[in-house]
């Protein structure tokens, strides 16, 4: 079963990206990398709960705009 670990993070993203996405991105950038699953949160047993994203296009645009903004992210990996 997929669970959060050093290389997997779940982010509950319904209407906007949480700031914690950037902390996780930075952490992965400074280690061996990882995968951030958007629209997923962690259950009490560590398993993923799929909560979805209301406006996928908006969230993807926000993510890619931010990741290509040098004031937000030093280097787009």
């Amino acid at each position: 079963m997929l669970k959060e670990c050093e290389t997997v993070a779940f982010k509950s993203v319904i209407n906007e990206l949480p700031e914690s996405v950037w902390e996780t991105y930075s952490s992965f950038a400074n280690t061996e990398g990882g995968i951030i699953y958007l629209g997923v949160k962690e259950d009490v047993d560590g398993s993923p709960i799929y909560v979805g994203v209301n406006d996928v296009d908006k969230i993807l645009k926000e993510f890619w705009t931010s990741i290509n903004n040098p004031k937000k992210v030093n280097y787009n990996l």
Side-chain angles (χ1 to χ4, degrees):
M1 170 179 20
L2 183 65
K3 291 189 176 188
E4 281 195 319
C5 63
E6 299 84 28
T7 59
V8 174
F10 303 141
K11 298 296 175 185
S12 180
V13 179
I14 296 175
N15 293 312
E16 62 184 291
L17 286 173
E19 280 300 311
S20 64
V21 165
W22 306 115
E23 296 165 10
T24 303
Y25 180 87
S26 178
S27 176
F28 286 169
N30 290 313
T31 58
E32 296 187 25
I35 299 171
I36 301 171
Y37 290 91
L38 303 177
V40 180
K41 69 179 184 177
E42 186 177 24
D43 200 356
V44 291
D45 68 355
S47 63
I49 298 175
Y50 303 97
V51 294
V53 176
N54 284 343
D55 188 343
V56 173
D57 292 334
K58 174 186 171 249
I59 297 300
L60 288 175
K61 182 178 180 183
E62 181 182 350
F63 179 82
W64 289 110
T65 298
S66 295
I67 210 165
N68 288 306
N69 178 351
K71 292 181 180 181
K72 187 74 166 179
V73 175
N74 290 335
Y75 184 75
N76 178 352
L77 300 173

